[in-house]
Amino acid sequence: VTFQPFFVLNLDISSGFTLEEALNNFFKVQEIEDYTDSETGGKVRAQHKQTMDKVPNIMVIHLKRFIYDFQFMTIKKLTQTIKYPEQLTLKPDFLSGHLQLKRKENPYKFGLISVIIHHGWNVEKGHYVSFCKDDLGKWIHYDDKTWRNISKED
């Protein structure tokens, strides 16, 4: 077991269209073929699984929109629409054993409060805007020095 603190959860979105799919992919069990056993030196089958051992008060999720395209030897942007809920509850299998036990009394839920979007087709050019929820639950669109109220559907 290796503990690795995180501040941002970086999620691969290359094979999905929802935040839930990206989370399921991140926390799934991965089979490792030909792993070398440190005690015997022999090849064994192993599994790798990530879980959260400590849940942050505020979770920052980064959807990895830029990937390296080996065919064209360049960085490309993934442009599919990714759906995400306004309320996210962590699944039990995303959590370590002791957090799964605590989850019954305190489900780990997160409310969406901000989204940052890159407008543009590649990593070299583009523009970032943000959408943030204020204290009253209303959404605001920020674009450099300007801002405007928007509806949740926008």
Side-chain angles (χ1 to χ4, degrees):
V1 174
T2 303
F3 291 97
Q4 183 177 353
F6 75 94
F7 300 101
V8 176
L9 194 57
N10 294 293
L11 300 179
D12 177 11
I13 58 167
S14 61
S15 62
F17 295 95
T18 68
L19 177 60
E20 288 87 352
E21 289 171 336
L23 285 165
N24 287 335
N25 188 45
F26 184 83
F27 289 107
K28 75 180 178 187
V29 175
Q30 297 174 356
E31 300 290 331
I32 302 172
E33 300 288 332
D34 295 330
Y35 182 79
T36 303
D37 186 304
S38 59
E39 291 181 21
T40 66
K43 298 288 184 187
V44 295
R45 289 185 61 178
Q47 290 183 330
H48 170 82
K49 173 144 176 60
Q50 299 190 102
T51 59
M52 289 186 186
D53 193 59
K54 193 174 190 182
V55 177
N57 293 329
I58 297 173
M59 186 179 306
V60 177
I61 297 175
H62 169 236
L63 304 178
K64 297 192 307 190
R65 284 223 176 259
F66 295 103
I67 62 169
Y68 191 76
D69 185 334
F70 288 98
Q71 180 181 0
F72 297 104
M73 304 299 278
T74 186
I75 298 172
K76 82 175 196 181
K77 181 177 179 181
L78 302 173
T79 59
Q80 77 267 33
T81 299
I82 302 294
K83 295 184 181 192
Y84 43 87
E86 262 198 89
Q87 183 82 18
L88 175 67
T89 302
L90 296 180
K91 289 182 175 181
D93 59 324
F94 297 170
L95 308 170
S96 64
H98 76 95
L99 287 182
Q100 288 181 12
L101 296 174
K102 287 183 182 179
R103 184 180 185 278
K104 291 178 181 157
E105 62 199 46
N106 181 23
Y108 296 101
K109 293 184 178 184
F110 294 89
L112 181 66
I113 59 170
S114 181
V115 176
I116 299 172
I117 295 176
H118 175 266
H119 293 292
W121 293 104
N122 63 41
V123 71
E124 288 129 13
K125 295 180 183 174
H127 181 71
Y128 287 94
V129 298
S130 65
F131 301 87
C132 302
K133 192 186 276 190
D134 69 11
D135 292 342
L136 301 173
K138 297 185 184 203
W139 285 93
I140 303 171
H141 174 253
Y142 293 94
D143 185 352
D144 292 334
K145 294 180 181 179
T146 64
W147 64 273
R148 62 183 170 88
N149 291 318
I150 60 169
S151 68
K152 181 171 72 171
E153 291 72 29
D154 288 339

